[in-house]
Amino acid sequence: MELAHYSDYAVRLVNTEEPARNKDSLTSVDAVRGLFGTGVQAARRATDADVTRFRNVRGRLRAVFEAADGGDHVLAVDLLNSLLMEFPVSPQVSGHEYLDDEGHPNWHIHLADHPSNASAGYAAIASFGLAFHLTEHGPDRLGLCQAAPCRNAYLDTSTNRSRRYCSDRCATRANVAAYRARKRLEAEASGQSGRNADTAQDARALSEL
């Protein structure tokens, strides 16, 4: 499993809440377990207490994205470092079921489950994954969706650092809104031009009286 995969853990957790829409899907143990994906042993250790713990970590991870999106990269790194210190990872060399062309295990670094509780393990993996993405691609690759009111987090992996939206749906919605705004301005400008022309014509008519 590539280390970059772990950055998705942070995005999944942050996007369980949509503050502008007053929506929060992280309300039960089942929701917490769903964040891990299927077949992950740590998910089975989740309890009611983890709902509150996950929400706390979620707020701290969102703060990292907000700082990075706002251009305060030093603050983003400081916030992320505090998470890394509080929730250290446990790396292991693993082969799992992956084999290379010669039938040998495809050895790679794997982050082991945290022994204490589900939230600590998830926080460790999410923070490490986000740190890996930040150091590989830069803090300006951590963004928040620009399609109001959505402020979902995303990781920009585009070649030209051009991503501004969390999904194609939000990108389409923003483009449609921008198109309608341009058409509205064009119509208003056209109407103003027509009124100016009428005023000029009236003025000429009065001058000829």
Side-chain angles (χ1 to χ4, degrees):
M1 184 180 294
E2 295 182 1
L3 295 179
H5 165 82
Y6 292 114
S7 59
D8 292 336
Y9 278 62
V11 174
R12 285 205 300 271
L13 178 55
V14 170
N15 290 346
T16 59
E17 182 183 30
E18 297 181 71
R21 294 189 174 106
N22 198 29
K23 292 183 178 180
D24 188 347
S25 63
L26 192 58
T27 58
S28 66
V29 177
D30 286 340
V32 167
R33 290 171 179 163
L35 288 168
F36 287 91
T38 58
V40 179
Q41 184 177 0
R44 293 192 287 271
R45 296 203 301 268
T47 66
D48 289 333
D50 282 305
V51 176
T52 300
R53 294 191 191 112
F54 266 73
R55 285 181 170 181
N56 177 268
V57 173
R58 179 181 65 187
R60 294 171 67 181
L61 286 171
R62 175 172 281 277
V64 175
F65 277 93
E66 289 175 342
D69 187 70
D72 194 341
H73 297 165
V74 173
L75 176 59
V77 170
D78 287 344
L79 293 171
L80 187 52
N81 276 336
S82 69
L83 283 163
L84 291 169
M85 291 180 66
E86 185 174 346
F87 302 105
V89 296
S90 301
Q92 292 180 345
V93 177
S94 177
H96 292 309
E97 71 276 15
Y98 305 112
L99 303 177
D100 59 22
D101 294 337
E102 298 179 355
H104 301 301
N106 184 17
W107 302 113
H108 59 280
I109 294 294
H110 173 78
L111 301 186
D113 292 337
H114 200 283
S116 58
N117 57 65
S119 54
Y122 194 100
I125 291 172
S127 301
F128 179 85
L130 201 56
F132 180 83
H133 187 92
L134 185 149
T135 53
E136 283 290 298
H137 304 288
D140 57 334
R141 294 300 191 105
L142 277 59
L144 295 173
C145 186
Q146 299 300 303
C150 179
R151 293 293 281 167
N152 277 352
Y154 65 84
L155 300 172
D156 185 4
T157 56
S158 63
T159 56
N160 57 355
R161 300 174 182 265
S162 61
R163 185 170 180 180
R164 296 294 179 270
Y165 307 105
C166 68
S167 65
D168 290 339
R169 180 181 179 183
C170 275
T172 299
R173 185 160 55 85
N175 289 333
V176 169
Y179 172 79
R180 289 174 177 171
R182 286 196 303 271
K183 287 298 183 181
R184 187 163 54 250
L185 289 174
E186 290 173 1
E188 292 174 356
S190 178
Q192 183 63 42
S193 297
R195 288 191 292 273
N196 290 342
D198 290 341
T199 300
Q201 185 176 0
D202 292 344
R204 286 196 299 272
L206 289 172
S207 66
E208 294 172 356
L209 294 178

